[in-house]
Amino acid sequence: LFHEADTRNEESLDDNIKTVGEAVVLVRTPVGLGSGFVIHPEGYLITNDHVIEGSTELTVVVYRQSTDGLRKDEYKNIRIVASSSLLDLALLKIEPETAEEFVTVPLANSRTLTQGQKVFAVGNPMGLERSLSEGIVALKSRLLSGQTYVQTTTALSPGNSGGPLFNLAGEVIGVNSLKVVAQGAEGLSFSIPVNQVKAFI
């Protein structure tokens, strides 16, 4: 259901967003929204379990490039294939009315991460679609509440949950999951390592 890229060169953020943008989606429920990313051309995608928790009526919005800017394509027939509250991951499947092929993103290897490596996130913070933020890997492996996360300085807000964290080669290295919100706290964002995503799938 997923693929790993062959050797890819690092690119600018502008070039990267052009390459990966159509694979990053908005996931909407009756009570909120989050982000996700497509991993298989038939419409399989990853998001956080807490984004869809308690909901069966889901809408996925895919943003596609068109001659006059971005086109929003909404899909309301969404199947929950698998979910794990422990891992905070969910695998969804878009069920289009007619056969379609979706743009996908490749998954990297968490073991190749280095401290200080530049990363970026694409998502829908506060519903602001296809927003991009960048940062660095602050720590490759941070243990919180019994789970391991990639700690970064990438700005995340509600709505980023479930979206991808990329390296500069446009490969997913994690799933944005949470941030520390406290007085005086800045740049404390956490993503689920992509190798945990692979194991979940």
Side-chain angles (χ1 to χ4, degrees):
L1 290 180
F2 66 90
H3 70 284
E4 298 174 343
D6 297 328
T7 303
R8 292 165 62 119
N9 295 324
E10 292 189 352
E11 296 183 323
S12 68
L13 291 177
D14 185 52
D15 288 337
N16 265 304
I17 195 67
K18 292 174 183 175
T19 302
V20 306
E22 287 194 22
V24 181
V25 303
L26 183 147
V27 180
R28 184 187 300 127
T29 74
V31 296
L33 59 84
S35 302
F37 56 97
V38 181
I39 58 171
H40 189 280
E42 291 183 4
Y44 289 92
L45 65 100
I46 291 291
T47 188
N48 283 143
D49 176 73
H50 77 255
V51 169
I52 66 163
E53 184 178 14
S55 298
T56 55
E57 295 180 16
L58 305 177
T59 299
V60 169
V61 181
V62 178
Y63 302 96
R64 293 186 168 102
Q65 295 288 348
S66 64
T67 54
D68 55 351
L70 284 180
R71 185 182 80 242
K72 299 180 185 180
D73 293 336
E74 289 196 357
Y75 299 88
K76 295 185 178 296
N77 190 9
I78 309 298
R79 177 161 55 96
I80 300 174
V81 180
S83 62
S84 169
S85 57
L86 177 64
L87 297 175
D88 194 18
L89 292 171
L91 176 66
L92 309 181
K93 170 73 166 63
I94 301 172
E95 303 279 10
E97 294 181 1
T98 58
E100 288 188 46
E101 189 165 300
F102 294 85
V103 174
T104 67
V105 285
L107 305 188
N109 188 328
S110 300
R111 296 188 183 92
T112 64
L113 283 178
T114 57
Q115 195 169 22
Q117 178 180 346
K118 290 184 178 181
V119 293
F120 69 96
V122 183
N124 308 286
M126 311 304 291
L128 300 173
E129 57 215 27
R130 281 174 56 102
S131 295
L132 182 149
S133 58
E134 65 174 325
I136 62 168
V137 174
L139 195 70
K140 296 190 298 180
S141 182
R142 175 70 70 190
L143 191 63
L144 292 174
S145 303
Q147 298 296 321
T148 301
Y149 296 92
V150 179
Q151 180 185 335
T152 77
T153 62
T154 310
L156 299 180
S157 298
N160 274 119
S161 291
L165 182 72
F166 291 102
N167 59 24
L168 291 183
E171 302 166 315
V172 177
I173 62 170
V175 181
N176 300 319
S177 183
L178 59 97
K179 65 177 291 185
V180 172
V181 181
Q183 186 173 359
E186 294 183 11
L188 294 175
S189 300
F190 300 91
S191 303
I192 301 166
V194 72
N195 285 9
Q196 291 189 24
V197 179
K198 295 177 184 178
F200 166 70
I201 295 170

